[in-house]
Amino acid sequence: MDTQLADFIRDTHAGRIAGEILRKCVHCGFCTATCPTYQLLGDELDGPRGRIYLIKQVLEGREVTEKTRSHLDRCLTCRSCETTCPSGVKYSQLLDVGRQVVEAKLKRPLRESLPRTLLKTVLPNPALFAPAVKIGRALKPLLPSSLADKLPPLPETGRPWPVKQGHSRRMLTLAGCVQPTLAPNINAATARVLDRLGIELFEEVKAGCCGAVRFHLNDQARAKDDMRRNIDAWWPHVEGGVEAIVVTASGCGVQVRDYARLLADDAVYAGKAAKISALCRDPSEIVAAEGERLRALLPASPRGKLAFHSPCTLQHGLQIRGIIESLLAAAGYVLTPVADGHLCCGSAGTYSVLQPELAEKLRINKLTALNAGGPALIATANIGCLTHLQAGGMTPVRHWIELIDEALT
Ligand code: SF4
Ligand code: SF4
């Protein structure tokens, strides 16, 4: 696509990235067919091709309007369009640039900026989030459904982490920001499964939010501070020979995998960020690599019907497809077919709070597809999808690693 970037962006790092991406787009529109917001709204400007065109106009110096911002806000950043695009257009990277410019050029009204400020202050900070959840649970009947949805029942007291086994293989895991409060069993279950596979898993308490919350709310500077803090916290373990950094929420995994790109122009952190990204693994990659050993440990007992919801961050972000389904089948589950598995469930980080109507429509569609085969359980790989789907239906939703852990006991 022919693009004449305006002076304010042409010779910047962001401008060079955006210009390169825009040149790759041939405007064919294949991506539009797999875009969830286009499917719901039927407006070209609520699909990837239209949004690319809007961003191009903004970067060429056209006036930024509230209408432009609304179309960009309605994007889920699900990256289904990237999977579809035959030209390899990195839409999400262009969107990052476009959203940052729009945010800088057009001040949001208080009704929009206040919830964003609250979300990026509370969610990444467990010291604020944990008490907020406690208060929220007490006041749940009074909250709007988009917020009440985010408050699952108190998690069951899970089984403890395995006692240190002295395995020679050691891996770090990210505790993250909301997951320890909402579902602390996920990392403990991962530690138990890896322990059975001869791997010690541990958390570094000085690490925190991966940066995704602030990054996707356009606070990219503070998101990069989150990333640098994690790198500093993890670095002594990296130097100590840790084999991998296992991230059990695929939404956080895709962010950590992206540290290398996001900090590429940071003179101090670029090298370390590249190493951290190279070490980042989804737990499915670790467990699948030990597939033979796992299968030998799993009892051959049928476990009933299960539907797997593959988060966008897993299938479109990390490009991991089919691995978890195979592991669950090996554990004795019969996987039911799920139509339109490439479409987002509507969770998308803070999207379900900021765009509740669209998120609700997407959730209804997703739960209908997931429940079509009559599963007793739904499994997924990301805490955001898990809480969002659980709040909308009766079928229990679990992280897949918890099911492998239970199958091993
Ligand atoms: S992003 Fe890709 S699929 Fe979409 S219009 Fe551009 S080239 Fe075509
Ligand atoms: S990221 Fe998802 S919602 Fe956004 S344009 Fe691409 S397909 Fe559509």
Side-chain angles (χ1 to χ4, degrees):
M1 194 187 293
D2 182 41
T3 308
Q4 305 296 325
L5 294 185
D7 291 348
F8 78 91
I9 189 118
R10 187 184 309 115
D11 296 322
T12 65
H13 181 63
R16 280 187 284 277
I17 290 169
E20 202 176 303
I21 297 170
L22 283 166
R23 272 190 292 281
K24 269 194 158 185
C25 177
V26 296
H27 230 56
C28 64
F30 287 152
C31 51
T32 304
T34 59
C35 171
T37 55
Y38 177 76
Q39 286 190 5
L40 286 182
L41 300 166
D43 183 337
E44 170 77 15
L45 296 178
D46 283 312
R49 183 170 60 176
R51 291 185 176 119
I52 288 170
Y53 193 64
L54 288 174
I55 295 167
K56 173 181 179 302
Q57 288 184 321
V58 166
L59 301 184
E60 287 183 333
R62 280 269 198 101
E63 189 197 358
V64 178
T65 65
E66 288 196 15
K67 188 174 175 335
T68 310
R69 187 171 60 200
S70 305
H71 290 300
L72 300 191
D73 281 351
R74 284 200 282 268
C75 172
L76 294 140
T77 331
C78 70
R79 296 170 66 174
S80 174
C81 48
E82 289 186 20
T83 297
T84 309
C85 175
S87 303
V89 170
K90 300 285 182 205
Y91 164 84
S92 60
Q93 295 180 24
L94 180 68
L95 183 72
D96 290 344
V97 175
R99 278 181 167 165
Q100 201 173 14
V101 171
V102 167
E103 205 70 26
K105 285 187 178 277
L106 188 65
K107 195 170 157 39
R108 286 186 188 271
L110 191 63
R111 68 174 187 282
E112 288 186 18
S113 61
L114 186 62
R116 279 174 164 73
T117 302
L118 278 173
L119 288 168
K120 64 191 180 191
T121 304
V122 176
L123 292 186
N125 187 345
L128 295 175
F129 182 69
V133 167
K134 213 169 171 185
I135 295 166
R137 281 199 178 106
L139 301 177
K140 198 168 176 178
L142 306 174
L143 294 176
S145 62
S146 59
L147 275 182
D149 263 16
K150 296 282 154 201
L151 299 167
L154 272 176
E156 288 173 26
T157 314
R159 289 186 298 118
W161 281 55
V163 284
K164 204 171 171 187
Q165 298 287 314
H167 300 304
S168 57
R169 298 183 66 189
R170 299 183 77 232
M171 297 182 184
L172 257 171
T173 188
L174 170 71
C177 49
V178 302
Q179 188 168 291
T181 300
L182 299 179
N185 188 50
I186 294 173
N187 273 13
T190 310
R192 290 190 292 269
V193 171
L194 294 197
D195 180 48
R196 298 290 301 276
L197 298 173
I199 299 165
E200 182 187 332
L201 191 72
F202 65 101
E203 291 175 348
E204 168 50 64
V205 292
K206 290 191 201 127
C209 175
C210 64
V213 172
R214 290 186 171 122
F215 194 84
H216 293 297
L217 286 167
N218 291 323
D219 193 347
Q220 300 187 356
R222 283 174 70 213
K224 288 181 180 178
D225 288 342
D226 290 335
M227 298 177 212
R228 292 187 196 98
R229 181 211 49 229
N230 286 357
I231 292 171
D232 286 340
W234 289 333
W235 199 249
H237 302 295
V238 172
E239 289 189 316
V242 81
E243 197 180 319
I245 300 170
V246 182
V247 185
T248 56
S250 59
C252 307
V254 82
Q255 185 77 10
V256 177
R257 193 70 66 86
D258 225 9
Y259 279 13
R261 181 180 69 82
L262 296 170
L263 293 174
D265 60 343
D266 184 317
V268 178
Y269 281 86
K272 290 181 178 179
K275 177 73 178 169
I276 295 292
S277 290
L279 286 173
C280 177
R281 295 283 181 283
D282 186 78
S284 61
E285 297 174 281
I286 306 293
V287 177
E290 302 299 319
E292 214 170 294
R293 191 166 176 182
L294 178 79
R295 282 173 176 81
L297 291 169
L298 285 166
S301 41
R303 293 184 174 272
K305 291 206 282 185
L306 174 148
F308 182 64
H309 166 61
S310 180
C312 301
T313 42
L314 187 79
Q315 58 172 316
H316 304 305
L318 295 171
Q319 300 279 315
I320 293 175
R321 301 189 190 103
I323 297 180
I324 296 172
E325 292 90 325
S326 300
L327 292 170
L328 289 167
Y333 288 101
V334 175
L335 273 83
T336 59
V338 180
D340 293 329
H342 62 285
L343 291 179
C344 180
C345 68
S347 171
T350 54
Y351 190 92
S352 56
V353 178
L354 297 171
Q355 301 282 344
E357 285 171 19
L358 287 173
E360 178 58 14
K361 283 180 186 161
L362 290 166
R363 177 166 65 182
I364 290 168
N365 292 348
K366 181 57 72 179
L367 282 170
T368 303
L370 286 164
N371 284 315
L377 270 177
I378 294 169
T380 190
N382 187 48
I383 183 67
C385 309
L386 191 157
T387 53
H388 181 64
L389 291 172
Q390 187 63 88
M394 301 303 288
T395 313
V397 187
R398 309 284 306 279
H399 193 291
W400 68 273
I401 197 79
E402 295 180 290
L403 304 179
I404 300 291
D405 175 44
E406 287 167 10
L408 285 171
T409 43

